[in-house]
Amino acid sequence: MNIDKDWIYSTNIYEVNLRQYTPEGSFNAFGQHLGRLHDMGVKTLWFMPITPIAQKEKKGSLGSYYACSDYTSINPEFGTLEDFKALVKKAQGLGMKVIIDWVANHTGWDHVWTRTHPDWFEKDPATGDFKRASGMDDIIELDFTKPAMRKAMIEAMAFWVRECGIDGFRCDLAFWVELDFWQEAIPELNAAKPLFWLAESDPLDHPGYMQVFDAAYSWSWMHGTERFYREGRPLGELVGILDRYLSAPGLQAWFTSNHDENSWNGSEYEKYGDAALALAVHSLTWPGLPLIYSGQELPNRKRLLFFDKDIIDWNGEPQLHGFYKTLLELKARHPALDARSEIFRLYTSSDANVLAYLRKKGADEVMVLLNLSPNHVRFDVLSSWVGGDFTEVFGRYGQDLSLNKRFEMKAWEYRVFAKDAGTV
């Protein structure tokens, strides 16, 4: 990773569903939330696609963010280009980074290129028309064997860097696009400004993409945790998945919800029930980058409609603001939670119930205990080399682990202990 992008190792990502965020659904209305998000500790804002939505074959009343009709224009639903520029400037003024969703694999049916360059699209041999994307009727596939199209795509991405000063891209279905396109595009775009590249891909399934992307999704973990909670699978299965990620290339983004999961498979409370917050603690303390979706700080317990207006109910102070603030600030300021720091699995007298691990960088340490079970458990941390004075970051009480490694935890309880109080 380029040294100019060291900020990535201590960042976090907050996904913005602009349409559903406010009644207005605009850049300007979302801007009123920046102060709250900054206070919560958000470092990187990821905006779902901000480009116009194709009207032909549109789904629902508003259509899909991911059916673009013009790569270098703003969706009028959200405001103007100047509004977006102002929002980026305001966010960056608070020390935040801004990345935008980029949908390279496909467009909507009436994208401007379907008129100006119809040869840039794949064709369906059965109909002679544009080829529909797999399983999605409102989008059509681009043909990445066309050098002119690839050049135009890269220039379209450069437009947002040049005109708005964004800091990177979240690349939708990155693994549906030929790797050699990203190998061409990413170095070229990074030459103008070192950018953050987040792939909607899983390094366990598509490790080659991590040659050029900085981070990718942890889909296998997400699916594994859902099976674990709903089917009562053994904790050892989750530990096995985590072991695989530790040897995977690049950084992983850890999450309990995002726009796809919330809308199509349910909120984290539908999927994980009482385990939701413990799994969120894992996302914020395991090596990699935590990803939070719009409204999780409320918490939002409903599925948000994808193609229609369905406003997040911001009713008073979000109940989990303090929960996320504690963990986000800990990650940002504690050296042990830098994505490059070491991690050690801790063995306990209740390994069938408890996931315990230590993050370490020099003398700085963070110990995480997650009771991932419906049982009230009493246990000892058996790793003898763990010791010293720690402070539990939620309860603010101290414990000398050189003298006392015994714990008692309620079902699905979480605890996070930090050594070196000066950093937290």
Side-chain angles (χ1 to χ4, degrees):
M1 186 181 292
N2 189 303
I3 193 170
D4 293 330
K5 298 197 289 185
D6 272 4
W7 62 269
I8 294 173
Y9 292 108
S10 60
T11 200
N12 56 69
I13 306 164
Y14 184 93
E15 181 185 5
V16 181
N17 186 336
L18 197 64
R19 170 184 289 167
Q20 314 298 19
Y21 215 89
T22 63
E24 301 87 349
S26 66
F27 298 126
N28 291 338
F30 174 76
Q32 303 305 308
H33 287 259
L34 283 181
R36 173 180 63 80
L37 294 173
H38 177 257
D39 180 74
M40 195 170 81
V42 170
K43 297 294 184 184
T44 298
L45 296 169
W46 152 29
F47 287 90
M48 293 171 68
I50 58 174
T51 47
I53 293 170
Q55 297 302 296
K56 184 179 179 181
E57 305 288 345
K58 181 176 70 175
K59 292 190 174 183
S61 59
L62 296 174
S64 171
Y65 283 105
Y66 295 86
C68 174
S69 66
D70 185 347
Y71 280 123
T72 55
S73 295
I74 288 284
N75 184 347
E77 178 186 344
F78 303 147
T80 67
L81 182 62
E82 292 305 314
D83 292 338
F84 182 63
K85 288 181 181 179
L87 180 59
V88 172
K89 184 176 181 180
K90 183 176 180 180
Q92 291 174 339
L94 291 171
M96 296 178 176
K97 304 291 186 179
V98 175
I99 66 174
I100 62 172
D101 220 319
W102 195 259
V103 189
N105 179 73
H106 48 262
T107 75
W109 278 86
D110 52 9
H111 189 280
V112 62
W113 288 354
T114 62
R115 300 185 298 277
T116 59
H117 299 284
D119 59 310
W120 287 359
F121 293 82
E122 294 188 16
K123 299 299 189 299
D124 185 337
T127 64
D129 204 347
F130 299 120
K131 181 181 177 182
R132 296 178 187 268
S134 176
M136 291 175 269
D137 293 339
D138 59 337
I139 52 179
I140 51 178
E141 301 268 9
L142 285 161
D143 184 352
F144 278 83
T145 68
K146 301 299 176 71
M149 188 279 291
R150 293 162 68 116
K151 182 178 180 181
M153 179 72 72
I154 295 170
E155 174 53 33
M157 299 177 83
F159 169 87
W160 296 100
V161 181
R162 182 176 62 249
E163 295 298 322
C164 302
I166 65 166
D167 301 292
F169 295 90
R170 178 269 186 185
C171 297
D172 182 69
L173 291 170
F175 65 98
W176 280 17
V177 178
E178 287 81 347
L179 175 57
D180 65 5
F181 169 74
W182 298 119
Q183 291 172 322
E184 175 187 357
I186 291 176
E188 183 174 333
L189 290 159
N190 277 346
K193 175 183 180 179
L195 300 168
F196 172 38
W197 295 89
L198 171 62
E200 187 190 13
S201 179
D202 191 316
L204 298 183
D205 299 322
H206 305 97
Y209 283 74
M210 304 317 295
Q211 297 174 50
V212 284
F213 282 94
D214 297 309
Y217 278 39
S218 53
W219 286 120
S220 295
W221 169 256
M222 189 212 68
H223 293 307
T225 51
E226 185 173 6
R227 290 193 301 270
F228 166 80
Y229 184 79
R230 288 184 165 176
E231 301 173 16
R233 305 289 278 273
L235 182 56
E237 286 190 12
L238 294 188
V239 173
I241 295 172
L242 291 175
D243 286 344
R244 292 176 64 202
Y245 277 115
L246 288 175
S247 60
L251 299 173
Q252 289 86 55
W254 303 94
F255 54 91
T256 56
S257 187
N258 59 34
H259 65 271
D260 282 318
E261 284 303 303
N262 173 273
S263 292
W264 307 120
N265 297 323
S267 76
E268 63 267 39
Y269 299 98
E270 288 182 70
K271 294 169 58 180
Y272 306 127
D274 294 333
L277 290 185
L279 291 172
V281 170
H282 171 270
S283 294
L284 287 147
T285 56
W286 193 261
L289 309 179
L291 167 61
I292 302 167
Y293 181 46
S294 297
Q296 283 195 272
E297 67 269 39
L298 272 173
N300 172 50
R301 296 177 181 271
K302 72 173 182 176
R303 300 188 185 198
L304 298 173
L305 298 176
F306 204 82
F307 307 118
D308 303 281
K309 189 72 174 175
D310 190 13
I311 305 167
I312 297 170
D313 183 17
W314 299 106
N315 185 17
E317 182 70 17
Q319 295 177 18
L320 296 180
H321 180 95
F323 168 83
Y324 281 109
K325 180 175 181 175
T326 296
L327 292 169
L328 292 175
E329 289 187 346
L330 183 69
K331 176 171 175 56
R333 294 193 286 192
H334 201 294
L337 292 186
D338 182 287
R340 295 164 291 192
S341 70
E342 296 180 284
I343 183 164
F344 301 92
R345 172 93 189 283
L346 301 179
Y347 294 97
T348 77
S349 57
S350 187
D351 279 349
N353 299 300
V354 177
L355 176 63
Y357 50 93
L358 184 79
R359 300 290 307 280
K360 181 177 176 64
K361 188 170 187 180
D364 295 298
E365 299 177 352
V366 170
M367 182 179 73
V368 180
L369 304 177
L370 305 175
N371 180 10
L372 296 181
S373 80
N375 307 313
H376 189 110
V377 294
R378 297 179 180 86
F379 63 95
D380 294 301
V381 173
L382 302 178
S383 301
S384 60
W385 46 269
V386 178
D389 292 320
F390 283 75
T391 299
E392 207 287 319
V393 301
F394 292 102
R396 304 306 300 175
Y397 64 87
Q399 185 161 337
D400 185 348
L401 296 186
S402 299
L403 301 174
N404 180 17
K405 292 186 175 69
R406 177 157 294 180
F407 298 89
E408 183 172 348
M409 297 177 71
K410 298 175 183 177
W412 309 112
E413 189 178 355
Y414 51 85
R415 294 186 194 171
V416 180
F417 293 84
K419 181 191 283 188
D420 185 358
T423 65
V424 299

